[in-house]
Amino acid sequence: MAGKLRARDIMTGGVQCVGAHQSLQDAAKMMRDLKVGALPICGDNNRLTGMITDRDIVIKCCAEGIDPSTVQAGSLQSKIHWIDAEADAADVLRTMEQHRIKRLPVIDTKGGHQLVGMITEANLAKNLTDAQVAEFATRVYATA
C-alpha cells in the first residue's frame, strides 16, 4: 500500500504557519486554537523556515523564566526536514524514521515551493498498514 500513496494523499492540508516575527505567545495561542502541538514557521516570503513545538516553548522559554511575548518564534526554530508532495509513502516513512520525527511538512515543489500540508503519526495510522505503523513506531521511539 505504501508504494501507491503519495505524501499529498497522506497529509492533512490547510496547515497554518506562525510567522517568524510573531511571538512565542502568539504561537502558543495558535497551537491551542488549532489543537496542535507543533507549528511550521514561515518567513516574510511565506516559505517554510522551521518548526516549533509546544515543548520548545516550555523548555527553552518558560522554564528559563523568559516572557513568551518577548521572544520571536523564529528564534526557536529547529532544523527543518520536509518532503515533496509527490514523494511516495515509502519515502515519507524513511524520512520520518531516519530523522526520528513525528511531524513532516509537505512542500509542493512544482507549485512554487509552498507548504501544502503536514504528515503526522495520526496520518500514518489512518493511511498505512499496521505493520508499517509498528515499524515506524519501533524506529522513531527506539532508545539509542
Side-chain angles (χ1 to χ4, degrees):
M1 179 196 243
K4 298 176 185 175
L5 289 174
R6 301 275 175 224
R8 74 170 60 254
D9 301 322
I10 300 170
M11 72 181 198
T12 297
V15 174
Q16 294 185 33
C17 288
V18 62
H21 301 295
Q22 287 183 267
S23 73
L24 294 182
Q25 184 172 6
D26 292 336
K29 287 179 181 179
M30 284 181 70
M31 288 181 198
R32 177 199 64 202
D33 295 346
L34 296 169
K35 297 179 175 67
V36 297
L39 287 171
I41 300 171
C42 291
D44 294 333
N45 60 359
N46 283 331
R47 295 236 176 145
L48 183 67
T49 61
M51 290 284 292
I52 188 166
T53 67
D54 48 6
R55 180 172 167 76
D56 293 334
I57 295 170
V58 171
I59 301 297
K60 297 175 183 174
C61 180
C62 299
E64 297 298 325
I66 301 170
D67 180 355
S69 68
T70 65
V71 179
Q72 292 184 354
S75 69
L76 289 190
Q77 68 191 25
S78 58
K79 182 175 180 183
I80 189 72
H81 299 283
W82 57 272
I83 193 115
D84 187 295
E86 296 305 317
D88 68 33
D91 290 334
V92 169
L93 283 172
R94 193 171 18 262
T95 300
M96 293 177 80
E97 290 170 358
Q98 177 183 357
H99 299 291
R100 298 181 77 177
I101 55 177
K102 300 175 223 169
R103 301 166 185 99
L104 185 63
V106 180
I107 303 289
D108 185 354
T109 58
K110 294 178 183 174
H113 213 272
Q114 295 298 307
L115 176 69
V116 293
M118 186 76 65
I119 297 174
T120 66
E121 296 166 296
N123 297 115
L124 298 180
K126 290 177 188 173
N127 290 282
L128 304 179
T129 67
D130 289 347
Q132 290 169 316
V133 173
E135 182 69 17
F136 166 80
T138 299
R139 292 178 188 256
V140 171
Y141 292 105
T143 56

